[in-house]
Amino acid sequence: MDRTLPPALAALDAAPIGDMFKGFPPGAAALPLGQIGKQGWNLLKGDLPFPVAVLRTSAIDHNSRWMDRFRKEQSVDLCPHGKTTMSPHLFQRQLADGAWGITVANANQLRIARAYGVNRVVMANQLIDAKGAGYVLAELKRDPNFDFYCLVDSVAGVEFLAAAAKAAGAGRPLQVLLEGGIAGGRTGCRTLEQAEAVAAAIRSAGPLLALRGVEGFEGIIDAATPDDRASQVRLFLDFLGAIARRGIDQGWFAEGEIIVTAGGSAEFDLVTEAWRNGDFQKPIRIVLRSGCYLTHDSGMYESRFHDIAARAIASDDLVANGPRHALEVWALVQSTPEPGLALVTIGKRDVGFDSGLPIPIAFSAKGSTAVQPLPDGYEVMKLNDQHGYLKCPAKSPLQVGDRVAFGVSHPCTTFDRWQLIYLVDDAYNVTGAIRTFF
């Protein structure tokens, strides 16, 4: 990450980090964030406390190149979801590597993105909070370079936004995307007729509001098999495409480019397949919002990438050299109280468990700097707040004091447990650190 930083990020690098941050050595003198990578620390040499969260920079570099190649190959844009990491340094990395903008889910996340220089933001959510809407509209008035989009799926939502925009007097329209949804799902118009009614309300609210495109999120769709899930996702994407086509046919959209956006981190290939040659009669900008590609994971998204590979929508080279897990949480073996069980120093306060328990992937014996993969037979069975129950084979070499690396499933809910995460090379030398803002 040797890049020239915007002033706000430079100030963040100059901010002190001390042992009030989990993962910083207890009793060590506080350091500027940007100086952490210059201390000569190494995870395997006892320089850091455990548990500790790290990002492997070789994997981040690979994943960033991978997604950049994918988006260029498929002729789409990327507006990654910032809620995954809530890290201004990683936002900047994504933008520098070609992202069209950054996605957020609420006004607080938007505030962080704006504070650190992000000018184009998609709020992939309804802007229905008065304080949040006031902040957005004040920013639109203050900064002519602020390019903002939010979602709307009801006439009531349109009326709220129009009233807020009129009161704020931003001097330019608030740009909205018409959200499509699925029966039994979360927000979004369920039918073309609902979408048409919302579009009519937006037209009536002009010039306070401007309809700029169509949005949906396929990531909540689940099914018994990958093929069934892919079929349901394709049906939903066809519905979003139908909203966009009707809007083009009936003149719903404001002047300028038309944005059609979906694509979480699991089925983004299906989005490109559905819309790249979608016969929209007008040019559209296809925007993916995948947030987890940069760090990937060792569980859910690793499994979903096997589905992407099997569909073979991307080129063979991309499929063969897919994303790699970057996020690891390291813990100590603190007890081996009975055969086949090791207690480790990670728990619910340290690692996500909403989409599967952490995955034991490697270990390093106490006093060694060698890292060895863990074979089959190791499994986290349960988590307490600060303890992990690691099932081990009968002849496991793990002993008290050994270090164990865990991969995660769904990185979002591990990032939010750490304000300080170290960047490490493949020898686990600390090369830098990032702050998160949850």
Side-chain angles (χ1 to χ4, degrees):
M1 297 189 179
D2 293 326
R3 302 168 185 269
T4 301
L5 297 179
L9 278 179
L12 180 58
D13 271 346
I17 301 292
D19 61 3
M20 298 297 285
F21 287 82
K22 183 170 70 170
F24 194 86
L31 293 167
L33 178 67
Q35 295 296 311
I36 286 177
K38 300 177 181 179
Q39 303 308 305
W41 292 345
N42 181 286
L43 181 149
L44 303 173
K45 293 179 179 178
D47 297 320
L48 304 177
F50 291 84
V52 63
V54 300
L55 289 168
R56 295 166 47 248
T57 55
S58 62
I60 288 176
D61 291 344
H62 170 83
N63 296 345
S64 187
R65 290 192 299 267
W66 191 93
M67 183 56 84
D68 189 52
R69 285 191 56 197
F70 178 87
R71 71 173 184 84
K72 289 175 178 175
E73 176 187 285
Q74 301 293 319
S75 300
V76 298
D77 285 294
L78 177 67
C79 190
H81 214 315
K83 71 174 176 60
T84 299
T85 68
M86 284 308 295
S87 165
H89 283 94
L90 295 182
F91 294 173
Q92 180 61 29
R93 168 66 187 259
Q94 291 168 309
L95 292 169
D97 288 349
W100 180 75
I102 295 292
T103 296
V104 300
N106 56 44
N108 181 67
Q109 294 173 7
L110 171 63
R111 174 71 183 89
I112 300 301
R114 291 294 290 156
Y116 291 99
V118 180
N119 283 332
R120 178 178 288 127
V121 179
V122 173
M123 179 181 284
N125 207 346
Q126 310 285 322
L127 181 59
I128 202 67
D129 170 68
K131 291 292 186 182
Y135 169 72
V136 167
L137 290 159
E139 280 291 279
L140 288 171
K141 188 173 184 178
R142 183 188 68 82
D143 183 359
N145 294 316
F146 181 32
D147 190 17
F148 175 82
Y149 307 81
C150 65
L151 309 187
V152 66
D153 72 347
S154 67
V155 173
V158 171
E159 292 172 346
F160 168 79
L161 291 177
K166 183 177 181 179
R172 55 187 173 121
L174 175 61
Q175 300 178 117
V176 297
L177 304 173
L178 204 162
E179 182 178 14
I182 58 173
R186 59 191 198 194
T187 49
C189 297
R190 274 35 175 179
T191 66
L192 286 172
E193 290 71 27
Q194 288 178 352
E196 188 167 353
V198 175
I202 297 169
R203 285 199 305 274
S204 296
L208 297 169
L209 306 182
L211 181 57
R212 296 302 306 276
V214 174
E215 184 276 348
F217 178 59
E218 76 292 343
I220 60 170
I221 295 173
D222 204 3
T225 69
D227 286 346
D228 288 344
R229 185 172 59 245
S231 295
Q232 292 185 38
V233 168
R234 287 185 172 104
L235 287 173
F236 177 57
L237 295 172
D238 287 345
F239 171 59
L240 296 178
I243 295 175
R245 290 186 192 90
R246 180 168 292 190
I248 290 170
D249 289 344
Q250 297 185 0
W252 296 353
F253 300 112
E255 290 298 318
E257 66 182 6
I258 298 168
I259 297 165
V260 186
T261 175
S265 298
E267 278 92 22
F268 53 84
D269 62 319
L270 295 178
V271 176
T272 67
E273 178 190 55
W275 294 343
R276 191 180 55 221
N277 299 307
D279 190 26
F280 287 94
Q281 302 302 316
K282 281 188 176 183
I284 64 168
R285 182 184 292 274
I286 301 172
V287 178
L288 306 180
R289 302 194 309 277
S290 309
C292 297
Y293 76 92
L294 191 64
T295 63
H296 198 51
D297 73 4
S298 302
M300 176 175 69
Y301 290 121
E302 175 65 17
S303 175
R304 292 293 181 90
F305 185 77
H306 294 317
D307 300 337
I308 290 174
R311 289 192 288 263
I313 293 169
S315 64
D316 291 345
D317 181 52
L318 282 174
V319 167
N321 296 283
R324 303 167 185 168
H325 85 269
L327 180 59
E328 297 176 356
V329 180
W330 281 73
L332 294 177
V333 176
Q334 65 174 323
S335 178
T336 54
E338 59 191 61
L341 177 66
L343 276 296
V344 294
T345 60
I346 60 166
K348 295 178 180 178
R349 302 298 180 92
D350 308 304
V351 66
F353 52 92
D354 58 306
S355 297
L357 294 171
I359 302 100
I361 54 178
F363 83 102
S364 179
K366 181 179 180 180
S368 172
T369 58
V371 177
Q372 304 176 57
L374 282 172
D376 292 341
Y378 290 87
E379 182 182 2
V380 175
M381 305 300 294
K382 183 171 65 172
L383 295 174
N384 296 151
D385 278 2
Q386 320 291 172
H387 294 77
Y389 295 69
L390 180 60
K391 177 184 175 182
C392 305
K395 296 184 179 181
S396 170
L398 291 183
Q399 300 180 26
V400 172
D402 289 348
R403 291 75 54 89
V404 182
F406 293 88
V408 305
S409 183
H410 189 211
C412 302
T413 52
T414 293
F415 270 99
D416 65 11
R417 286 157 169 79
W418 297 88
Q419 294 185 65
L420 173 68
I421 301 178
Y422 294 102
L423 306 174
V424 297
D425 64 18
D426 288 344
Y428 292 93
N429 295 303
V430 175
T431 61
I434 64 165
R435 276 287 321 272
T436 67
F437 291 85
F438 285 95

